[in-house]
Amino acid sequence: MIDTTPPVSTLPYPPLHADKKFVALSDWDGTITNRDSNDYMTDNLGFGPEKRRAGNLAILAGKETFRDAFKVMLDSVVANGHSWEECKEVLKKNIILDVGFRNFYDFCKSKDIPVVIISSGMAPLIRAVLSKLIGDDEAEKIEIIANDVEVREDGSWEIKYRHPSSGFGHDKSQAILPYRALPNPPTTFFFGDGVSGNIFDYSSRVRTVLTLSLPFLDMSAARHADLLFVKQKPGADNDLSAFCRREGIPHVQFEDFNRALDLVKRVVDGNITVKEALEVGTA
């Protein structure tokens, strides 16, 4: 019998922005940033890209859960003697923002549109990189719904999952579905690139495991966001877009946030509807 009970969160959620007309939600790694920070740590500080890819294949084959395999990847960084503070500094030096994200963020702030990051990574690490890139004050204002970290006195560390009972560590749909349940829900924009630790769909409160070309898709957002933006990366696999086409999920492809911003502006200003925006196809 399929368990339809949402996983219990060990971490609090921020209050819903029930009084807002629009809410912008986005994946972090590879969407707002130029590369996946956890992959970068594993490849350069941990056991390397070959073992990481092997772990990904094990997840795809159903031999490992994302939660367990991801922890093994991160634990390899700690096992190599890299402290939490060192990891933060390495990522602050090597991870950069999408070229248009700051413009997008400034626009949202000017229009009183909350920006919420929903990630399978660790919130303190995301906040540290954001502080380096956009400043401490602005970084503190952006809400981050992600996993946490436990840092020990000796500097070693371990991921603390938001949903430890879930095979994915963090079920992203639990940050999006409450907006759909509001009496007057805001229009939700979601930005994703397809690499995420969640392939559970809670549509109609039934958990369904989907067969996907890759195991890490932002499919909860694909199912539940009003206006879905899927990032296209030249020379990379664009699996979320392929998934959406296969499942008949309307979406807009974008290369960077500057291109997405123009379409978002038109929706926010009332020049086009969400339906018309989705018909554009590519920003």
Side-chain angles (χ1 to χ4, degrees):
M1 186 174 183
I2 295 175
D3 180 12
T4 61
T5 305
V8 175
S9 178
T10 60
L11 303 169
Y13 281 92
L16 292 178
H17 298 284
D19 60 334
K20 304 300 182 185
K21 189 174 180 180
F22 302 95
V23 176
L25 308 130
S26 180
D27 173 53
W28 169 251
D29 284 300
T31 302
I32 293 177
T33 65
N34 66 323
R35 62 178 72 179
D36 188 298
S37 57
N38 301 297
D39 286 355
Y40 185 88
M41 281 197 299
T42 304
D43 292 353
N44 294 278
L45 304 178
F47 54 37
E50 290 186 6
K51 287 189 176 181
R52 176 176 61 80
R53 285 193 291 267
N56 291 347
L57 291 174
I59 301 168
L60 178 59
K63 298 177 181 178
E64 295 280 353
T65 63
F66 176 87
R67 176 196 62 209
D68 295 343
F70 187 48
K71 185 177 184 301
V72 170
M73 294 175 195
L74 298 179
D75 285 350
S76 75
V77 177
V78 180
N80 281 351
H82 299 289
S83 71
W84 176 250
E85 289 302 318
E86 179 189 355
C87 291
K88 285 200 298 185
E89 292 306 312
V90 167
L91 294 183
K92 284 161 68 174
K93 291 177 181 177
N94 291 282
I95 303 298
I96 63 175
L97 292 179
D98 172 282
V99 294
F101 179 73
R102 185 59 192 258
N103 290 335
F104 174 81
Y105 172 71
D106 288 342
F107 169 78
C108 288
K109 188 168 65 169
S110 72
K111 294 292 186 176
D112 194 27
I113 300 173
V115 175
V116 183
I117 295 172
I118 304 176
S119 173
S120 293
M122 294 162 282
L125 208 56
I126 296 170
R127 190 85 65 189
V129 175
L130 268 176
S131 295
K132 170 69 181 302
L133 298 174
I134 66 174
D136 293 339
D137 291 342
E138 293 301 327
E140 284 299 321
K141 295 175 184 176
I142 298 180
E143 292 178 3
I144 300 174
I145 301 175
N147 299 306
D148 205 344
V149 64
E150 178 184 350
V151 182
R152 306 180 184 94
E153 291 185 3
D154 63 359
S156 63
W157 54 276
E158 182 178 16
I159 189 170
K160 180 180 178 182
Y161 282 117
R162 176 173 287 273
H163 299 126
S165 65
S166 166
F168 298 93
H170 177 199
D171 172 17
K172 291 185 178 182
S173 71
Q174 300 307 302
I176 301 172
L177 280 172
Y179 282 105
R180 309 293 292 177
L182 292 172
N184 297 296
T187 296
T188 53
F189 305 112
F190 190 90
F191 300 82
D193 75 329
V195 274
S196 163
N198 180 7
I199 59 168
F200 278 143
D201 177 23
Y202 279 86
S203 180
S204 302
R205 306 311 311 146
V206 175
R207 182 182 294 176
T208 306
V209 179
L210 299 184
T211 301
L212 305 171
S213 57
L214 279 179
F216 318 134
L217 297 182
D218 285 316
M219 52 132 303
S220 285
R223 291 291 188 189
H224 303 302
D226 292 306
L227 181 49
L228 172 66
F229 287 86
V230 177
K231 195 165 194 179
Q232 299 297 289
K233 300 176 181 179
D237 293 328
N238 294 298
D239 299 281
L240 180 56
S241 183
F243 166 73
C244 289
R245 289 194 299 272
R246 184 170 69 241
E247 296 296 315
I249 301 171
H251 63 285
V252 175
Q253 299 179 15
F254 77 110
E255 292 185 6
D256 60 64
F257 274 88
N258 277 329
R259 299 195 181 194
L261 177 56
D262 179 65
L263 197 59
V264 169
K265 284 181 177 178
R266 292 165 66 189
V267 173
V268 171
D269 292 339
N271 295 322
I272 61 172
T273 65
V274 167
K275 183 176 182 296
E276 291 169 335
L278 288 168
E279 290 172 352
V280 171
T282 301

